[in-house]
Amino acid sequence: MSFAALLNAAAKRIPPWVIYAAAFTWSLWLFYLGLTGGLGVEPVNALERAYGELALQFLVAGLCITPLRRFLGVNFLKYRRALGLTAFYFVAVHFAVWAFIDLQDLSAVWADIVKRPYVTVGMVALLLMIPLALTSNTPSIRRLGPKWNKLHKLTYGICLLGALHFLWLVKGFQIEPLVYAALILGLLTLRMPIVAAKLR
């Protein structure tokens, strides 16, 4: 049996809810670490960053679904909705920690959104994710028809905004945000028809 077949067989046995459960448990564990000094001397900043990076990681994982299926025959389509909704969950808690624990003042939140471009970019990404999260269900797919696919292509822009947000907020040269940006650009490039045709 090929490696792709092994992965496909494993996917048949592992339900998508495992992703929700693992992500929620991990987010609680990180929060617990923040409360108990396990995230260093700046636990709020560490928690914000951890949730933000997890959101990016789940977005990247979601972008991997189509290339894996198209080029390697690995079919993880059943997990795409869970990956997207989990990414939204981590973006939401990333925002919540920043707004309600770090700043603790909605007027300061608005001032930061207006003043700091990287915050503006992050907020735009969060707002764009809301309609995707609200329509990530079977009744919405049936009701919207072809419009659903067009709407959910916003994911590409959201990924780019997420990468830009991370690149913009870090101080000095850091390799990690560059890696996320490169991964997202590479995965989006694989979706271009001319590139996909050459790789088939």
Side-chain angles (χ1 to χ4, degrees), residues 48-58 94 166 176 180:
E48 281 178 38
R49 178 156 177 162
Y51 286 157
E53 286 190 41
L54 281 163
L56 262 182
Q57 288 160 10
F58 276 93
H94 170 71
F166 195 12
E176 199 174 359
Y180 283 113

Side-chain angles (χ1 to χ4, degrees), residues 7-198:
L7 291 175
N8 290 336
K12 288 180 180 176
R13 291 193 294 271
I14 302 173
W17 64 259
V18 171
I19 293 175
Y20 297 120
F24 184 65
T25 304
W26 186 244
S27 70
L28 291 181
W29 172 246
L30 288 173
F31 197 80
Y32 170 77
L33 289 178
L35 288 176
T36 56
L39 292 181
V41 294
E42 295 186 11
V44 174
N45 287 337
L47 197 58
E48 281 178 38
R49 178 156 177 162
Y51 286 157
E53 286 190 41
L54 281 163
L56 262 182
Q57 288 160 10
F58 276 93
L59 284 171
V60 169
L63 284 182
C64 288
I65 298 290
T66 296
L68 281 174
R69 183 167 176 259
R70 182 176 293 165
F71 303 117
L72 300 178
V74 177
N75 190 350
F76 287 165
L77 276 177
K78 65 187 283 188
Y79 301 120
R80 186 154 61 185
R81 183 185 301 180
L83 292 171
L85 286 173
T86 304
F88 175 71
Y89 167 71
F90 277 116
V91 169
V93 292
H94 170 71
F95 169 80
V97 170
W98 169 69
F100 301 114
I101 299 178
D102 190 355
L103 298 183
Q104 300 181 8
D105 181 350
L106 289 181
S107 60
V109 169
W110 177 248
D112 246 14
I113 291 171
V114 173
K115 180 181 177 183
R116 302 177 194 277
Y118 76 86
V119 178
T120 310
V121 167
M123 276 305 302
V124 171
L126 170 59
L127 293 174
L128 289 176
M129 290 182 83
I130 291 173
L132 305 194
L134 292 175
T135 56
S136 288
N137 53 74
T138 303
S140 293
I141 294 170
R142 290 174 181 158
R143 188 172 64 253
L144 293 173
K147 292 179 182 175
W148 188 91
N149 278 328
K150 291 181 181 177
L151 174 65
H152 280 254
K153 285 184 179 176
L154 281 175
T155 302
Y156 306 154
I158 290 165
C159 289
L160 290 171
L161 289 171
L164 180 61
H165 173 69
F166 195 12
L167 280 167
W168 216 333
L169 73 86
V170 296
K171 296 174 182 174
F173 179 82
Q174 293 190 30
I175 194 71
E176 199 174 359
L178 293 172
V179 169
Y180 283 113
L183 279 172
I184 288 168
L185 287 173
L187 289 165
L188 291 179
T189 301
L190 288 176
R191 281 171 160 75
M192 295 173 66
I194 188 170
V195 176
K198 286 185 177 180

